[in-house]
Every structure is written in structure tokens, then in C-alpha cells.
Amino acid sequence: MRYFDTETGYLNLRVPPIVFANVHAHCNTANPKAPMHSANRVPVANSLLAALPRKECQHLIDELEQVALTYGEVLYEPGQQIRHVYFPNDSVVSLLTLVDQHQALEVGLVGREGMVGIPLALQIDISPVRALVQGTGTALRMKAAPFLKVLVQSHALQRELHRYTYTLMAQVTQTAACNRFHVVEARLARWLLMTQDRMQSDDFRLTQEFLSHMLGVRRVGVTKAARALQQNKLISYSRGNITVLDRRGLEAASCSCYEIVKDMHESAEARQSLRQITPLVPPKTHAHFT
């Protein structure tokens, strides 16, 4: 396994992530008395999996394994075969596009709301981006072959992945516009809010070198933007450790892209919940005679 050295900007080798025993997850269910193996059970923090009905979710359980993802770890490289999909719990993964084979720019961010490896859900097993662990934590991992098998059988999983793919596309397109038109300080505020949402913590570790790659700017630009946010008492930033002090102030300092992507995600979730409550009824048809 490779990881990204945030100090040097180089990829290095590392030992594989820690793998725990197959887990048995809590899923959305109307039957809480259904049998489960409580000794190996862990709560599902990933909202995509948690939204699945128990019958649909149970097909995933035996193939899921909990793994530890470490800050700077590379899950995929562009052009590399996708051998696993990941459902983050409390970890965060950045999706980066590479320019001239060495410069990187973040185009997407995946946390507990989604899945890393979306191309596989579209029957494409090659990654177009570098998937880089931004926030240390755990994820539920599944091999590609069983994932594709379950995907064919589970209509609920298909619906959830379609919904999430839509919101991820919205995030990617909005991020592209944001990187082009908005100043670094506003982009940094947006990016910190997105990270906080996914890690559900006010404290996280992000070095200047790492942030420069995420935002596509030089380290001096990151320093200037972080200093401005710190002077306004919105964050504290020391030796790569960031603490969000004023969430509302950070939202005010952020560009509108944060709210746009957040609203799209919430609207998609609301529409999906409505479909689950109210089944779609096909319109009546009328025969026409000539």
C-alpha cells in the first residue's frame, strides 16, 4: 500500500491497513428482533449503508470488513484497477485529479455519506482519480467482485448509489467552478466545513503541504488564508492541527459553493426518503383507436 508524504509530496510504500474481522452492521429495519451476531456487531456510521433495509443490507454483511485508513494513504491511483470499494465511517477520503503527472487538485471529498469507488457501480473498474485518505478513521471495505454481485441483486443499494452519484457529480462540478472563480480564503473555509461535516469533529490534522495540494495553491497561499481565518478567530491552526472555533463565522467566510452542494445533497436525500414512503404508481394509460 502506498501513502502520500505530506511533507515531501512523494508517494511511499507502507504496510497494508489493519483488517478486523467481518462485521455485522446495524441497518435500517422494521424488524429489530431479526437475528444478528452481537459479538461481532458494530454500528454502521456510514449513512449510505444505514439507509438500506435489513433484507438488502444483510447481503452486504458477510462481504464487508472493517479496515483502518491512515492519513496520507493512497487507495487508488488514476488508471489503476479498483479492487475494493470503501464505505467510510469516521474517515475522510479526497478525490484528486493529477496534472502533469505530479501536481494534484482536489475535485471531491467522500465521508460517511458515501462510497469510495463509484466508477465500479457504473461497471467501470478503473479509477479516474487518486483516492487519498485525508482523515484517519475506519471504513467498511468490500472486494469488487462480490460488490458487483450484490449490486445486481439489491435494488435499494442501486437507488442509494444513484442518489449519491448525483450528489458527488454536483460536488465535483461545483468544486471545479469554485477552484476557478473564488479566492483561496473562501475556498479554504468551504473545505474546512466539508471536512468537519464528514469527520463530525472540530479538531483534525491537515498540514500546509497537504492543504496546498487539496486547494491547488502554493503553501504561501495556504498560510495567508489560514492566518486570515485565525485572526478572525474562526479557527486555530498550529503545526498542522486545526480546530474550528466559530462554525457560523466559518460559514459566513465560505463561498456559496458550500451551501449549494449541501442543499443538493439534502434535497436528494429528501426525495429518496419520499420515494421510499410513497411508492411510485405508473400513470393510467388510455387506448387510442383510429
Side-chain angles (χ1 to χ4, degrees):
M1 183 67 72
R2 289 180 289 179
Y3 75 98
F4 183 79
D5 190 319
T6 58
E7 299 299 331
T8 65
Y10 292 106
L11 289 173
N12 298 309
L13 293 175
R14 60 157 293 164
V15 296
I18 301 171
V19 179
F20 298 94
N22 282 11
V23 299
H24 293 270
H26 293 289
C27 304
N28 184 26
T29 176
N31 181 19
K33 295 183 180 180
M36 295 185 70
H37 301 282
S38 59
N40 293 324
R41 186 174 60 184
V42 296
V44 168
N46 182 279
S47 60
L48 193 155
L49 291 179
L52 298 176
R54 178 179 293 277
K55 183 178 179 180
E56 303 284 349
C57 188
Q58 195 62 41
H59 292 295
L60 293 168
I61 298 304
D62 292 337
E63 302 296 341
L64 288 170
E65 56 184 2
Q66 183 166 280
V67 296
L69 301 183
T70 306
Y71 175 73
E73 186 177 317
V74 177
L75 304 181
Y76 320 129
E77 286 286 4
Q80 189 177 70
Q81 185 176 9
I82 300 173
R83 300 185 183 279
H84 297 87
V85 295
Y86 298 81
F87 298 90
N89 290 323
D90 54 352
S91 56
V92 179
V93 178
S94 293
L95 306 179
L96 301 102
T97 185
L98 302 187
V99 181
D100 298 331
Q101 301 300 314
H102 66 279
Q103 291 182 314
L105 177 66
E106 183 182 85
V107 294
L109 196 62
V110 184
R112 65 182 66 224
E113 82 289 351
M115 184 187 86
V116 182
I118 281 295
L120 201 61
L122 305 176
Q123 307 297 317
I124 304 296
D125 66 351
I126 301 298
S127 176
V129 296
R130 173 184 289 171
L132 176 68
V133 179
Q134 173 195 304
T136 295
T138 64
L140 297 177
R141 185 176 72 176
M142 191 174 187
K143 292 181 179 179
F147 168 76
L148 290 172
K149 182 178 179 180
V150 172
L151 183 62
V152 171
Q153 299 169 344
S154 174
H155 295 296
L157 180 59
Q158 291 173 24
R159 287 193 301 269
E160 287 299 320
L161 285 172
H162 289 164
R163 176 192 59 76
Y164 175 65
T165 300
Y166 164 77
T167 60
L168 184 61
M169 288 174 60
Q171 183 193 150
V172 168
T173 55
Q174 195 67 38
T175 298
C178 185
N179 288 337
R180 171 63 180 85
F181 294 109
H182 293 152
V183 299
V184 178
E185 183 180 334
R187 288 163 52 197
L188 177 59
R190 171 189 63 83
W191 195 80
L192 292 175
L193 288 167
M194 292 177 64
T195 301
Q196 186 187 32
D197 289 344
R198 286 155 178 78
M199 297 191 72
Q200 295 192 343
S201 172
D202 293 336
D203 304 290
F204 33 90
R205 176 168 177 75
L206 297 167
T207 65
Q208 286 186 343
E209 185 68 27
F210 196 95
L211 285 170
S212 71
H213 283 279
M214 297 304 100
L215 299 174
V217 297
R218 295 180 178 180
R219 290 180 61 176
V220 64
V222 173
T223 300
K224 184 178 179 180
R227 184 181 297 125
L229 296 179
Q230 188 163 235
Q231 287 175 345
N232 289 326
K233 302 187 185 308
L234 305 181
I235 65 170
S236 66
Y237 185 37
S238 177
R239 299 178 181 271
N241 296 309
I242 294 180
T243 300
V244 175
L245 302 176
D246 183 352
R247 167 82 187 192
R248 289 187 178 181
L250 201 59
E251 290 176 352
S254 171
C255 56
S256 59
C257 296
Y258 171 71
E259 287 295 337
I260 290 173
V261 173
K262 184 180 178 182
D263 289 346
M264 285 183 179
H265 179 74
E266 291 175 349
S267 296
E269 281 191 329
R271 286 194 295 271
Q272 184 64 26
S273 297
L274 185 61
R275 290 192 188 101
Q276 292 172 351
I277 295 171
T278 308
L280 293 176
V281 178
K284 293 181 180 180
T285 58
H286 300 277
H288 295 274
F289 300 93
T290 57

